[in-house]
Amino acid sequence: MTRVFQGNDPVEPYLLRDWLARNGVAVQLRGASLLGVVGGIPIPKSFPTLWVPEYQKLDAERLIAQFSGPALVHPEWECKQCGEINAPSFGSCWNCQAEAP
Ligand SMILES: [Zn+2]
């Protein structure tokens, strides 16, 4: 296994892990240990890192580059059929049920 990503916040590594997994990368998230919980808010000791098999390193790096580009800046997608803006989690348009691009 080889490390392809060091998180800068506690959330992004999880999003990225799901993104890589959806694209067929056997990704592992490590180092998600928490220092403790203060007032209901978990305090991360260190942010998680992502690891992939050596042979998938290039694929993973390419996907990470895509992910940290437009995917994070504009997570919503615009329906090609009716022009509605949809949340990134929607697989089809909430308005006209057209497939997400
Ligand atoms: Zn639509």
Side-chain angles (χ1 to χ4, degrees):
M1 300 292 277
T2 182
R3 195 179 76 176
V4 291
F5 185 77
Q6 166 71 60
N8 297 310
D9 67 57
V11 177
E12 192 180 26
Y14 290 92
L15 298 175
L16 203 48
R17 178 192 57 179
D18 292 347
W19 162 250
L20 290 174
R22 271 207 307 276
N23 285 278
V25 177
V27 61
Q28 270 185 15
L29 186 143
R30 295 182 188 172
S33 56
L34 298 174
L35 198 57
V37 176
V38 178
I41 301 165
I43 307 299
K45 188 160 67 180
S46 59
F47 297 130
T49 53
L50 295 179
W51 298 70
V52 301
E54 203 69 49
Y55 74 95
Q56 290 190 312
K57 184 170 188 277
L58 290 178
D59 280 346
E61 285 175 346
R62 182 174 48 80
L63 287 163
I64 289 167
Q66 288 174 8
F67 185 82
S68 57
L72 278 187
V73 181
H74 298 292
E76 299 91 4
W77 55 275
E78 187 180 339
C79 178
K80 286 197 166 64
Q81 195 160 300
C82 73
E84 279 298 333
I85 301 300
N86 289 275
S89 57
F90 291 0
S92 59
C93 177
W94 66 267
N95 187 46
C96 72
Q97 280 79 52
E99 283 283 302

